[in-house]
Amino acid sequence: MTETIIRNYLEIKSLDALIENISPKLKCSVKLLEPDNFQINKFFYKNVGKKHKWTDRLVWSEMEWIKYTSNPRVETYILKVEEDMAGYFELIYHFDIKEIEIAYFGLLEEYQNKNLGAYLLTAAIKQSFKKNSIKRVWAHTCTFDHKNALKNYLARGMKIYKKETIEA
């Protein structure tokens, strides 16, 4: 059985284009994961992705996870609500072309629909433009992702620059 998937690629080209979100009422913080900890990346990938058909990395060995998370071009940021981990994003730096990809982004299910996704995406975009000479931040989302994902990207000022339909 095939399934039609619509994938949208989005970009934002300056911090001035960011439409910030009002901070949530919960006590939140977003911090770089230091030192790298592949187990945390793996935890979020599995738990955020289980409802959204994230499967590529499920077959990764520990060594593949370690290689990925220790790559100097990859940074992982953790959203905490109080002291609980609630969400994350991974940034991949493409310094040769002065771009940053928001590679993975999401919230644990119990933290969804609390205005935290908008807060976290605002943080991801701001963090991306802190790097020297970044000209573009981009991401993609598809029909498998959370129902508010595309709306969140657009509401933060990102624009669709490419759309594709895939049969899987």
Side-chain angles (χ1 to χ4, degrees), residues 13-26:
K13 293 187 175 182
S14 77
L15 193 54
D16 293 336
L18 173 64
I19 301 166
E20 287 195 53
N21 185 57
I22 298 168
S23 294
K25 293 180 169 99
L26 301 169

Side-chain angles (χ1 to χ4, degrees), residues 20-52:
E20 287 195 53
N21 185 57
I22 298 168
S23 294
K25 293 180 169 99
L26 301 169
K27 185 180 174 197
C28 301
S29 64
V30 177
K31 294 196 171 117
L32 177 64
L33 179 61
E34 287 184 307
D36 301 328
N37 182 336
F38 81 92
Q39 294 287 11
I40 291 176
N41 289 72
K42 186 176 178 180
F43 165 81
F44 276 114
Y45 181 85
K46 288 172 77 173
N47 287 285
V48 171
K50 67 185 167 193
K51 284 200 164 185
H52 307 296

